Amino acid sequence: MKRKFQGLAVLTLASIVASGCSITGKADMQRTVTINENVKFESSLADSSLSVVHKKTIQIPIKADYTGFQGENIYYNQNGKTYLKNIKTHVETKLADKAFFAISENGNRALSFVDGKVYVLDFETNSEILIGHGTDTYLYYFADPDGKEVIHVDSGEELSVHVTDVDSLKVKTWYLNNRFALNNFTLTSIKKDVDGIYVAAESLENGYGLYHLDNNGNMKTISTLENIDSLDNYDFLDKNKIIFNDIYNGKSGIFIINLQSNEVTQLVAGGKDEEGIWVPFYKLSPDQSKILFDTPVQVGNEYKTNVYMAELVNNQVTNPTRIMENADLYAVISLTGFWSPDSKTAYISTSKPGNDLIDTVEVFTLQ
């Protein structure tokens, strides 16, 4: 079985949470998921645990995939149109006359691809804005939670990154061919800030690292990412700290890197056996004080997923609690997990084996 993100292999469960170490350097099958109902579940990871209640299991009667999953709100396409269903109130609303392929984090805008044209659908103003042309939807994605900017990676003859301001339609472009090699380059490594873009890639001059290209095209090395295989999936905790999941110094896991000292701290350990390496994924809460993370587990001849909730305090994962066992998630937790705006409720979508659509949503609330 492959984890549905970058084809990472799912293997047997190994040790999960690192002991606070700081590393200096640079078919329709029967559901088997177990939901932990009690507020004080005895975690296998620590002596203490969070107080978490499994509030409910919500069956999804519509055909929807993870691209439109936002907790209580499920966005889905039907007959070439975009719809929203609130799974709490059961209210269904048609939002647009075009289908979508991505939703902004705040749920107010979507990206749509029709007849070679890329649109931003604004659900608040009931309008659509043409922002470009293309053939591959994965080359377009929102740069910010509100959907005010869209990143387009042009992988044609000359690799370039275009950021479109949706409201003004002004486009800022960075050309990368003369700066970066195409190997070890992934779209998810590109992030936008007010001063330019961050790119984790192999510089032709300085090797693999995290770089910032400002709005004038000047490039600055943020980190050499020493002993880090790749920085495909990461989030800034603040200006000088990044959380990421990958392989560091030969060990897989979830890590924090201090960009000033280059100190790397392991939060959650991954695993390895004769079949290869697996990497845990994570979903941060909006206030960055809590984290969901996943680990594979073998059940007979199949691989399932265990899901944990924990606090993130002083660069450490504390009070980890296993909230789902043997679950059939659609994908890794970063895609199928969702937090409420107040960071107190977690929503996790599941699917049936052999079916890539959401089957249920499990709701967990912190006490």
Side-chain angles (χ1 to χ4, degrees):
M1 176 183 173
K2 297 285 187 180
R3 304 197 80 181
K4 297 178 184 177
F5 197 99
Q6 296 183 307
L8 292 173
V10 175
L11 304 178
T12 55
L13 181 64
S15 61
I16 306 303
V17 173
S19 58
C21 60
S22 181
I23 310 170
T24 302
K26 258 248 6 161
D28 187 5
M29 300 176 64
Q30 183 178 356
R31 286 167 52 81
T32 59
V33 60
T34 299
I35 306 298
N36 298 314
E37 305 281 355
N38 299 329
V39 296
K40 282 290 186 182
F41 176 72
E42 185 181 354
S43 173
S44 64
L45 305 183
D47 293 334
S48 61
S49 60
L50 290 175
S51 295
V52 186
V53 172
H54 175 240
K55 299 292 290 186
K56 63 183 72 175
T57 297
I58 303 175
Q59 293 287 332
I60 304 302
I62 56 178
K63 294 182 177 180
D65 62 28
Y66 76 88
T67 60
F69 172 66
Q70 292 197 350
E72 289 185 354
N73 292 324
I74 301 288
Y75 299 81
Y76 63 99
N77 294 320
Q78 193 173 78
N79 300 321
K81 299 176 176 59
T82 297
Y83 290 84
L84 165 66
K85 186 178 183 68
N86 184 286
I87 61 177
K88 185 177 182 180
T89 64
H90 304 291
V91 173
E92 184 178 75
T93 307
K94 188 185 79 169
L95 298 177
D97 289 324
K98 287 182 170 61
F100 76 94
F101 65 85
I103 299 288
S104 65
E105 193 173 314
N106 68 356
N108 291 337
R109 286 180 167 178
L111 285 168
S112 177
F113 177 76
V114 180
D115 297 330
K117 297 177 181 179
V118 181
Y119 299 88
V120 171
L121 308 177
D122 191 312
F123 302 141
E124 291 189 310
T125 62
N126 193 28
S127 62
E128 55 188 50
I129 306 160
L130 177 64
I131 62 166
H133 299 74
T135 57
D136 297 309
T137 57
Y138 70 90
L139 296 175
Y140 286 84
Y141 54 98
F142 287 115
D144 63 293
D146 298 330
K148 293 181 178 180
E149 294 182 306
V150 175
I151 293 175
H152 170 216
V153 180
D154 188 345
S155 58
E157 294 183 2
E158 184 167 13
L159 180 65
S160 56
V161 175
H162 312 276
V163 177
T164 301
D165 182 293
V166 176
D167 297 320
S168 69
L169 292 182
K170 292 182 179 179
V171 181
K172 178 63 183 176
T173 298
W174 291 265
Y175 295 99
L176 307 183
N177 262 22
N178 61 340
R179 289 180 163 172
F180 297 102
L182 294 180
N183 57 307
N184 288 337
F185 187 92
T186 58
L187 303 183
T188 52
S189 76
I190 303 171
K191 293 187 182 295
K192 177 74 171 62
D193 71 351
V194 294
D195 299 318
I197 59 173
Y198 290 93
V199 178
E202 184 175 345
S203 164
L204 297 176
E205 183 177 353
N206 299 315
Y208 189 76
L210 177 64
Y211 300 91
H212 186 264
L213 282 69
D214 69 20
N215 292 322
N216 295 318
N218 302 309
M219 190 168 80
K220 176 183 178 181
T221 302
I222 303 301
S223 173
T224 59
L225 302 179
E226 185 178 351
N227 296 321
I228 297 174
D229 278 24
S230 65
L231 201 67
D232 298 341
N233 314 291
Y234 66 98
D235 293 282
F236 279 90
L237 296 176
D238 58 41
K239 186 176 181 179
N240 296 310
K241 284 188 297 186
I242 286 176
I243 183 173
F244 70 98
N245 66 312
D246 209 276
I247 298 175
Y248 170 73
N249 213 17
K251 297 180 179 179
S252 64
I254 302 171
F255 306 89
I256 287 179
I257 178 172
N258 185 310
L259 298 175
Q260 291 182 313
S261 65
N262 280 330
E263 183 181 53
V264 176
T265 302
Q266 187 178 50
L267 302 178
V268 178
K272 180 180 180 180
D273 70 9
E274 67 278 2
E275 296 185 41
I277 296 173
W278 60 264
V279 178
F281 282 73
Y282 67 90
K283 183 76 172 185
L284 277 177
S285 64
D287 64 5
Q288 299 186 341
S289 69
K290 302 170 191 71
I291 188 172
L292 297 171
F293 62 93
D294 59 5
T295 65
V297 60
Q298 188 170 359
V299 180
N301 295 323
E302 297 183 322
Y303 287 98
K304 307 287 186 178
T305 304
N306 287 349
V307 180
Y308 299 82
M309 184 186 293
E311 293 178 301
L312 187 58
V313 182
N314 296 325
N315 298 343
Q316 298 292 334
V317 165
T318 63
N319 298 327
T321 302
R322 187 169 61 224
I323 59 174
M324 295 180 72
E325 300 176 64
N326 305 338
D328 290 305
L329 303 189
Y330 175 88
V332 292
I333 196 64
S334 57
L335 298 176
T336 59
F338 192 84
W339 287 94
S340 61
D342 63 4
S343 300
K344 292 182 179 180
T345 300
Y347 304 86
I348 300 171
S349 59
T350 72
S351 63
K352 293 182 179 179
N355 190 335
D356 283 347
L357 301 176
I358 295 174
D359 180 54
T360 68
V361 174
E362 307 294 347
V363 185
F364 298 88
T365 300
L366 285 156
Q367 299 299 290

